[in-house]
Amino acid sequence: MMMISPIIFIVSLLLSSSCHAAVQDFCVADLTTPESPIGYACKKPETLTVNDFVYSGLGVAGNTSNLLKAAVTSAFVTEFPALNGLGISLARLDLAVGGVVPIHTHPGVTEVVHVVSGKITAGFISGANKVYYKTLNKGDIIVFPQGLLHFIVNAQKTPAEAYFSFNSPSPGSQLVDFALFGNDFPTELVAATTFLDTAQIKKLKGALGGTG
């Protein structure tokens, strides 16, 4: 009997179970079920209509009246269940004057940004700590490679609008500023690991809702 390499077996198992849509036309998420590493269970096809494959949530500008002067409106699987298992999602970004999306990452996810109005400065930081950034105009796109830290800033004195696409139906995100200053990370440990002075850390914690 031919022996199958354990590695080949595991890879083939992962590929075969990477998404429900790989073995059927689609798998509209049943959000009443728990999310697993390969997504949600499927709704029964006979219960679906064309409306399950249409989402209108990106047609309205988000509220930019906040600290960041920015709003991200997502079309992830939780908002648009038809994306379940398809390895893609979208989001809309609205930036007021002075708006910013601080340095953050989407672990394991690649992102493409398309500017549809205004002008933004966008960039990412490589694993070698080299910064790649450029000011983008209407119609320009930029890619943030998988998992790298990146940022976006409104580059002019008028609002800007852009759209993101991700190679995941449920891309997570972690903002560095909030990871450091928006929680109960003890101030003395933040100081020890960032070389910032205590007064500055407390000021940032106060602005971002942190304690400790």
Side-chain angles (χ1 to χ4, degrees):
M1 179 182 295
M2 182 178 67
M3 298 296 292
I4 299 176
S5 162
I7 294 176
I8 293 176
F9 174 76
I10 292 171
V11 170
S12 63
L13 182 63
L14 289 172
L15 289 175
S16 65
S17 62
S18 62
C19 67
H20 298 292
V23 293
Q24 57 197 61
D25 291 338
F26 46 76
C27 175
V28 177
D30 180 353
L31 298 180
T32 66
T33 65
E35 185 178 16
S36 76
I38 60 171
Y40 292 90
C42 310
K43 286 186 176 180
K44 294 180 179 180
E46 60 269 23
T47 68
L48 303 176
T49 71
V50 67
N51 292 329
D52 288 288
F53 301 92
V54 176
Y55 181 67
S56 302
L58 301 186
V60 179
N63 182 4
T64 57
S65 300
N66 54 59
L67 177 67
L68 304 179
K69 299 180 181 178
V72 175
T73 306
S74 58
F76 300 160
V77 67
T78 48
E79 294 84 25
F80 191 13
L83 299 179
N84 189 45
L86 297 180
I88 191 171
S89 61
L90 300 166
R92 170 178 174 156
L93 171 67
D94 292 285
L95 286 173
V97 175
V100 58
V101 180
I103 293 176
H104 65 286
T105 181
H106 308 283
V109 175
T110 297
E111 177 181 352
V112 174
V113 180
H114 175 213
V115 183
V116 298
S117 69
K119 183 181 293 186
I120 67 172
T121 298
F124 64 89
I125 304 168
S126 74
N129 290 323
K130 179 175 174 60
V131 182
Y132 298 85
Y133 70 95
K134 186 170 183 172
T135 297
L136 307 174
N137 298 296
K138 177 181 177 180
D140 290 342
I141 65 173
I142 187 172
V143 62
F144 298 142
Q146 178 175 306
L148 295 184
L149 293 167
H150 54 279
F151 59 89
I152 296 174
V153 177
N154 191 341
Q156 62 181 24
K157 299 301 182 181
T158 58
E161 180 183 345
Y163 287 82
F164 309 147
S165 62
F166 304 92
N167 65 332
S168 167
S170 186
S173 65
Q174 184 175 36
L175 276 74
V176 173
D177 291 345
F178 286 89
L180 290 173
F181 311 113
N183 52 29
D184 60 353
F185 194 174
T187 295
E188 61 272 19
L189 291 180
V190 177
T193 55
T194 64
F195 307 108
L196 294 172
D197 64 78
T198 298
Q200 182 66 24
I201 294 169
K202 289 183 176 179
K203 179 179 178 180
L204 290 168
K205 279 180 171 287
L208 299 179
T211 61

